[in-house]
């Protein structure tokens, strides 16, 4: 198969991340496998859109456009998909930088025509310079990073993780775009799972579809200081439970919680055991990590219970958007 052209979509929403946005775009420009284009989708922030338009006015291959849908990450991604030209669309967080071979690893995955999505590994950059001693690696998803328990290498998965992921364009033709009303919306409650819901919907529409994670497709994701604190950890875990309830309501608990069952019955108990062992050996943070795992599970379970009750009472509150108006070749 010929090498696919890859469009990169970076969704942005605040000028507070100005330097991070510039670094993200620069990391795409430095790829060993050149991107076809980079699209900066601005989420209902005209001042930021105008500033970025001025910044990249003379830069070939970089386009700045407004989110054409409702406020939020899902609609921003859908806007980027519709405006892009590539056979493959990759997504990079606005506060992350990609390693030089990031896109090359994605492209290699698409040599198999059955592959509809390829994700990568996301490494945290802690604001304090080091991981908090109490913060368990099993919960790195709380800060948008790859967590302990995922299999190494290039492997099949149920879903990719949205901040470091790519999809074949035909995946969106088959399944539609990201669902609005389920994921992040600026600075509001830190919800998620929109990529999980999309991937499940995709494999239902295309049962032959293969979804991969390649841990050599690496990005480095900034973790701001407030997210190093336990209060954010607990809030994010609770929000994940709310989101998982919406996904389970939409696609069924069997598929919606398939990976989570293994995670909670095998990965997390092993993490608690390691933390307790480290505490017995007087290693820093062992008891804190064990306690954080238990607290994270309880918070997520509480969010799931509340979200399930709301879903039963109100029905699902999100919808998958068709991708229309695309300009792809």
């Amino acid at each position: 198969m010929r090498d696919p052209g890859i469009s990169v979509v970076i969704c942005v929403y605040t000028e507070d991340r100005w330097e991070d946005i510039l670094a993200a775009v620069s990391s795409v420009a430095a790829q060993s496998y050149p991107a076809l284009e980079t699209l900066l989708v601005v989420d209902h922030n005209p001042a930021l859109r105008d500033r970025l338009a001025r910044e990249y006015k003379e830069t070939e291959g970089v386009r700045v456009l407004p989110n054409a849908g409702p406020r939020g990450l899902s609609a921003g991604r859908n806007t980027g998909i519709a405006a892009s030209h590539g056979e493959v669309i990759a997504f990079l967080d606005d506060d992350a930088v990609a390693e030089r071979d990031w896109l090359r690893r994605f492209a290699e995955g698409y040599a198999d025509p059955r592959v509809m999505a390829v994700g990568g590994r996301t490494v945290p950059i802690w604001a304090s310079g080091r991981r908090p001693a109490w913060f368990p690696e099993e919960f790195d998803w709380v800060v948008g990073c790859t967590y302990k328990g995922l299999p190494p290498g290039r492997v099949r998965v149920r879903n990719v993780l949205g901040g470091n992921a790519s999809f074949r364009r035909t995946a969106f033709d088959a399944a539609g775009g990201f669902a609005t009303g389920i994921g992040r919306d600026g600075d509001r409650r830190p919800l998620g799972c929109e990529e999980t819901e999309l991937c499940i919907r995709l494999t239902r529409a295309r049962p032959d579809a293969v979804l991969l994670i390649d841990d050599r497709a690496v990005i480095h994701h900034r973790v701001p200081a407030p997210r190093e604190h336990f209060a954010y950890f607990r809030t994010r875990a609770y929000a994940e439970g709310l989101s998982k309830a919406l996904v389970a309501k939409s696609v069924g608990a069997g598929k919606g919680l398939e990976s989570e069952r293994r995670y909670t019955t095998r990965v997390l108990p092993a993490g608690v055991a390691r933390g307790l062992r480290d505490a017995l050996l007087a290693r820093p943070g062992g008891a804190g990590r064990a306690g954080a795992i238990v607290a994270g599970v309880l918070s997520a379970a509480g969010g799931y219970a509340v979200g399930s009750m709301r879903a039963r009472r109100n029905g699902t509150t999100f919808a998958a958007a068709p991708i229309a108006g695309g300009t792809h070749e």
Side-chain angles (χ1 to χ4, degrees):
M1 176 185 169
R2 62 181 176 80
D3 291 340
I6 303 180
S7 298
V8 177
V9 173
I10 304 174
C11 295
V12 304
Y13 72 99
T14 176
E15 290 185 86
D16 293 342
R17 293 185 177 180
W18 178 256
E19 296 299 328
D20 291 334
I21 295 168
L22 300 187
V25 175
S26 293
S27 75
V28 175
Q31 291 295 299
S32 61
Y33 183 101
L36 185 65
E37 58 187 346
T38 300
L39 287 78
L40 290 167
V41 183
V42 184
D43 193 17
H44 298 268
N45 187 335
L48 175 59
R49 183 189 65 209
D50 292 345
R51 186 179 180 188
L52 285 169
R54 291 192 298 271
E55 178 73 23
Y56 292 107
K57 182 179 180 180
E58 306 298 330
T59 305
E60 185 177 355
V62 177
R63 286 193 282 154
V64 179
L65 57 155
N67 178 2
R71 187 182 299 275
L73 181 57
S74 291
R77 287 173 172 166
N78 292 339
T79 297
I81 296 164
S84 64
H85 295 82
E87 180 183 341
V88 169
I89 301 98
F91 299 94
L92 178 65
D93 275 347
D94 64 345
D95 53 356
V97 293
E99 290 191 1
R100 179 171 170 76
D101 290 333
W102 177 60
L103 290 182
R104 182 174 299 282
R105 299 306 182 188
F106 281 172
E108 290 169 356
Y110 290 104
D112 182 344
R114 299 174 302 161
V115 172
M116 290 287 114
V118 183
R121 177 163 58 96
T122 302
V123 179
I125 305 173
W126 301 96
S128 61
R130 60 191 303 177
R131 172 186 296 276
W134 62 269
F135 202 115
E137 292 181 51
E138 291 83 359
F139 271 79
D140 276 5
W141 56 262
V142 164
V143 291
C145 295
T146 301
Y147 55 90
K148 188 179 186 69
L150 287 176
R154 184 195 288 170
V155 293
R156 289 188 70 162
V157 291
R158 180 195 65 180
N159 63 275
V160 296
L161 304 178
N164 178 10
S166 64
F167 292 84
R168 202 183 292 274
R169 179 176 298 281
T170 51
F172 301 112
D173 295 336
F178 289 93
T180 57
I182 185 174
R184 295 245 177 175
D185 179 358
D187 292 319
R188 297 168 68 181
R189 188 187 295 276
L191 300 172
C193 295
E194 63 273 22
E195 64 274 2
T196 301
E197 191 276 337
L198 170 62
C199 288
I200 294 172
R201 186 163 19 98
L202 170 60
T203 52
R204 286 186 168 180
R206 290 283 303 272
D208 62 331
V210 173
L211 284 64
L212 302 174
I213 284 183
D214 187 335
D215 64 6
R216 300 170 300 169
V218 180
I219 70 170
H220 298 264
H221 184 269
R222 187 179 299 280
V223 180
R227 298 187 183 184
E228 295 188 7
H229 298 300
F230 182 71
Y232 179 82
F233 177 93
R234 186 175 54 193
T235 298
R236 178 67 185 89
Y238 178 81
E240 184 75 1
L242 291 174
S243 299
K244 281 291 191 298
L246 281 177
V247 173
K249 175 69 173 178
S250 173
V251 301
K255 197 67 177 177
L257 300 177
E258 180 181 56
S259 297
E260 288 73 14
R261 289 193 179 94
R262 175 188 175 278
Y263 173 72
T264 55
T265 59
R266 297 175 59 183
V267 174
L268 294 186
V272 171
R274 276 192 299 272
L276 294 176
R277 180 197 62 196
D278 288 347
L280 289 173
L281 295 174
R283 293 171 179 166
R289 289 193 297 276
I293 290 173
V294 173
V297 170
L298 292 175
S299 297
Y304 185 83
V306 171
S308 297
M309 287 188 294
R310 290 177 182 172
R312 284 195 297 269
R313 184 173 63 244
N314 304 323
T316 54
T317 58
F318 64 93
I323 301 298
T327 58
H328 56 279
E329 298 170 344

